[in-house]
């Protein structure tokens, strides 16, 4: 079963201590769908402007990504500019230009409306809700967001969250959304806002999943070469949701495996700028890294 995703398709300008890219392919929907495409078919809902390079469309077409819901309209493509210092866990935003997203009113293609699995990637929460409202019978809805939306559209975000089963956000966003510095208390608060499962992304410290009463922790892969953390969160979500969609099993045990699959995909994403780390992976490489993850945190009982 495929996944429907709504999110940004962007041109990113990013500087890290290891280099810089100008107007490179980025966006939450782009990273998500590339990551998920190793496991399942993906249907994208997004918008780009006339200035969006055709080569990026051609790249996405090489993946299992259906672009019939990607509109091209007059105007400029969404742009994001940011930088990272040596602490690669923290993205510093210099500029967010919504451009064509400001007036985007998506109409889902008919063949998208029967999607059972939906991912509301990081974008305006009103847009997330309007896309979800056009899906007839969603069985599993997951979402992401960021401080930009928590600060500028909190009431709208809270409305969207009521419809979400699984929320994936980072630790700073967890604290900010809940208005609570303690992560465990913050998670409990967020689980009363709608989601049944909260996945907290903690950069190089790994991921924590609060699923009903259970808590699961997965490490991040200890990499020697990290070049650009941009898109790690979205690629994580792509691997996670892609695995869930390919198994159609959201029991706690399977969500744990999916969480490690997401972490695997994120570890590839940070090894290069833009989509470079995940553009042409072999499924064997993914399996090998998954098994390395298992070894990394396996220990015997007392
Ligand atoms: P992350 O996985 O959190 O590193 O996401 C990085 C991607 O999010 C970049 O490629 C940006 O284009 C995109 N992005 C940044 N700010 C926003 C925003 N306010 N809304 C939607 N997408 C964004």
């Amino acid at each position: 079963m495929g996944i429907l995703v709504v999110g940004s398709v962007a041109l990113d300008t990013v500087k890290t201590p290891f280099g810089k890219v100008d107007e490179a392919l980025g966006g939450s929907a782009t990273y998500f769908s590339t990551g998920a495409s190793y496991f399942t078919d993906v249907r994208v809902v997004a918008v780009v402007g006339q200035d969006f390079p055709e080569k990026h469309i051609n790249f996405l077409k090489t993946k299992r990504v259906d672009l019939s819901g990607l509109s091209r309209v007059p105007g400029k493509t969404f742009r994001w500019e940011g930088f990272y210092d040596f602490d690669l866990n923290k993205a510093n935003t210099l500029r967010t230009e919504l451009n064509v997203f400001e007036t985007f009113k998506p109409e889902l293609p008919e063949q998208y409306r029967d999607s059972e699995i939906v991912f509301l990637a990081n974008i305006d929460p009103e847009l997330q809700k309007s896309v979800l409202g056009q899906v007839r019978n969603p069985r599993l809805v997951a979402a992401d967001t960021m401080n930009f939306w928590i600060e500028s559209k909190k009431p709208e975000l809270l409305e969207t969250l009521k419809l979400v089963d699984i929320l994936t956000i980072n630790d700073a966003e967890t604290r900010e959304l809940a208005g609570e510095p303690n992560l465990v208390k913050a998670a409990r608060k967020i689980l009363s806002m709608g989601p049944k499962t909260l996945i907290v992304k903690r950069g190089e410290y790994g991921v924590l999943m609060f699923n009903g009463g259970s808590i699961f922790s997965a490490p991040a892969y200890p990499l020697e070469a990290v070049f650009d953390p941009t898109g790690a969160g979205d690629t994580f979500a792509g691997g996670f949701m892609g695995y869930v969609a390919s198994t159609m099993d959201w029991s706690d045990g399977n969500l744990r495996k999916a969480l490690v699959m997401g972490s695997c995909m994120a570890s590839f994403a940070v090894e290069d700028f833009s989509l470079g780390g995940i553009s042409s992976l072999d499924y064997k490489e993914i399996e090998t890294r998954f098994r390395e993850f298992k070894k990394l945190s396996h220990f015997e009982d007392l």
Side-chain angles (χ1 to χ4, degrees):
M1 181 40 73
I3 305 177
L4 173 78
V5 58
V6 56
S8 56
V9 172
L11 295 174
D12 286 350
T13 296
V14 179
K15 196 164 170 241
T16 80
F18 313 103
K20 183 173 191 246
V21 284
D22 273 305
E23 309 234 312
L25 176 60
S28 55
T30 315
Y31 281 106
F32 177 88
S33 41
T34 306
S37 70
Y38 288 94
F39 306 92
T40 191
D41 297 310
V42 188
R43 302 158 167 182
V44 175
V45 181
V47 62
V48 293
Q50 299 294 5
D51 56 354
F52 192 69
E54 201 57 35
K55 66 174 183 206
H56 296 332
I57 306 264
N58 291 338
F59 161 70
L60 289 169
K61 281 186 182 157
T62 66
K63 301 280 154 208
R64 288 166 72 181
V65 180
D66 183 343
L67 296 176
S68 29
L70 177 69
S71 315
R72 188 191 276 279
V73 301
K76 284 175 74 184
T77 299
F78 176 97
R79 276 168 173 75
W80 178 74
E81 182 172 354
F83 70 93
Y84 299 82
D85 288 323
F86 279 103
D87 177 4
L88 293 172
N89 283 326
K90 189 175 179 297
N92 302 283
T93 295
L94 292 172
R95 178 167 58 99
T96 303
E97 278 182 30
L98 296 176
N99 295 331
V100 289
F101 268 103
E102 241 160 319
T103 50
F104 182 45
K105 299 262 173 304
E107 269 282 312
L108 293 205
E110 183 50 38
Q111 72 274 21
Y112 278 27
R113 294 177 190 247
D114 64 354
S115 300
E116 294 189 347
I117 312 260
V118 179
F119 188 70
L120 310 171
N122 177 29
I123 196 67
D124 186 333
E126 284 188 275
L127 185 52
Q128 293 178 319
K129 192 170 170 214
S130 116
V131 166
L132 184 58
Q134 295 176 53
V135 180
R136 278 186 210 105
N137 232 334
R139 289 181 57 197
L140 185 71
V141 180
D144 191 0
T145 192
M146 71 182 291
N147 55 355
F148 184 87
W149 303 112
I150 298 173
E151 285 153 27
S152 63
K153 292 215 170 179
K154 186 145 183 205
E156 294 84 353
L157 177 60
L158 292 177
E159 280 307 304
T160 300
L161 284 185
K162 288 183 189 160
L163 310 169
V164 166
D165 301 303
I166 303 177
L167 180 66
T168 70
I169 47 179
N170 72 29
D171 43 357
E173 289 152 2
T174 302
R175 295 187 170 98
E176 186 172 359
L177 177 60
E180 164 61 57
N182 179 285
L183 209 56
V184 179
K185 287 186 187 162
R188 197 178 310 133
K189 223 165 154 183
I190 291 173
L191 291 181
S192 71
M193 295 175 182
K196 296 184 259 309
T197 307
L198 172 69
I199 295 173
V200 183
K201 298 170 286 182
R202 301 165 66 230
E204 65 180 317
Y205 306 113
V207 197
L208 266 182
M209 174 167 72
F210 297 86
N211 185 30
S214 102
I215 303 182
F216 176 65
S217 161
Y221 192 69
L223 285 168
E224 225 171 285
V226 176
F227 285 107
D228 176 16
T230 311
D234 307 308
T235 310
F236 163 84
F240 173 79
M241 290 300 288
Y243 186 77
V244 170
S246 71
T247 50
M248 287 304 274
D249 173 0
W250 35 95
S251 61
D252 189 65
N254 204 54
L255 288 185
R256 291 176 182 221
K257 277 165 80 177
L259 202 82
V260 174
M261 199 51 103
S263 307
C264 245
M265 296 307 293
S267 74
F268 289 115
V270 302
E271 288 182 291
D272 200 350
F273 281 89
S274 184
L275 275 289
I278 53 167
S279 60
S280 53
L281 290 170
D282 190 285
Y283 195 71
K284 276 258 161 312
E285 286 175 80
I286 299 174
E287 275 179 351
T288 304
R289 192 158 287 183
F290 184 91
R291 300 216 159 90
E292 284 168 9
F293 261 94
K294 181 158 167 52
K295 277 194 236 150
L296 193 62
S297 47
H298 179 81
F299 52 88
E300 301 297 336
D301 200 356
L302 292 174

